Amino acid sequence: SLPVTWSVRREVDARAWRAEPEGVFAVAETAELAARVRLWRDVCGRLDAVASLHDGVYKSRLMPLLGEAGAPALVAGRHLTRFRLANIGDLRRVDTMRLSEPERLRQGRPKVLVHALRKPALTPRLVAASDESGAYVASNNFLLVVPRADCPWRAGALAALLNAPLLDQW
């Protein structure tokens, strides 16, 4: 194994992690990993150059809208696994007409949904799936990666990049 070239350790304020007050972020990068990430960036560029990044709809706004009609709503981490969204028939629905116009437009476009609340101990940590048809509405448990009009990749290709083991390791 290669030596660690740098390491950062920072205690997390207990107020930020009520359920895990002893939480610690630790980052370690090997020379090999740094070289692979540089190559990745040279080939793929920056995500924010081809897509916009957004939070899902905040649950305090979304939960009162859940009912029997409208778009399927992803509200829990179990609704998303690598490359796969929960079955539409298994989900509660949300009335999209009661969302703000920017939220409705964002949610209705092709997008990649990324599970944003994964615990550091879980692997893989980064979990993404594409919603090519824009059929799903996602809560703020997920990040939305919305390809820009000039993006050379479809949402499914971006999901594949985000699920890559190299990014998860980094």
Side-chain angles (χ1 to χ4, degrees), residues 38-144:
R38 276 194 302 278
L39 176 63
W40 184 275
R41 284 182 179 159
D42 290 345
V43 171
C44 298
R46 290 180 49 102
L47 181 60
D48 63 357
V50 296
S52 58
L53 310 175
H54 309 275
D55 287 338
V57 179
Y58 281 83
K59 282 189 179 174
S60 60
R61 289 197 17 78
L62 187 63
M63 296 310 270
L65 306 182
L66 289 176
E68 296 303 316
L74 301 167
V75 295
R78 69 180 181 280
H79 292 158
L80 187 153
T81 56
R82 296 183 96 194
F83 298 105
R84 191 165 178 204
L85 298 171
N87 185 318
I88 286 177
D90 297 337
L91 299 172
R92 292 177 65 190
R93 306 291 181 126
V94 63
D95 179 359
T96 57
M97 296 311 294
R98 293 178 58 198
L99 296 175
S100 71
E101 186 174 350
E103 285 174 336
R104 189 169 54 251
L105 292 174
R106 248 192 318 272
Q107 296 279 348
R109 292 188 53 197
K111 59 190 172 290
V112 177
L113 298 164
V114 180
H115 191 197
L117 299 177
R118 303 279 296 176
K119 291 182 180 272
L122 295 178
T123 54
R125 291 183 192 100
L126 194 59
V127 176
S130 66
D131 176 14
E132 294 282 354
S133 64
Y136 293 82
V137 170
S139 77
N140 63 316
N141 277 359
F142 307 96
L143 298 176
L144 279 60

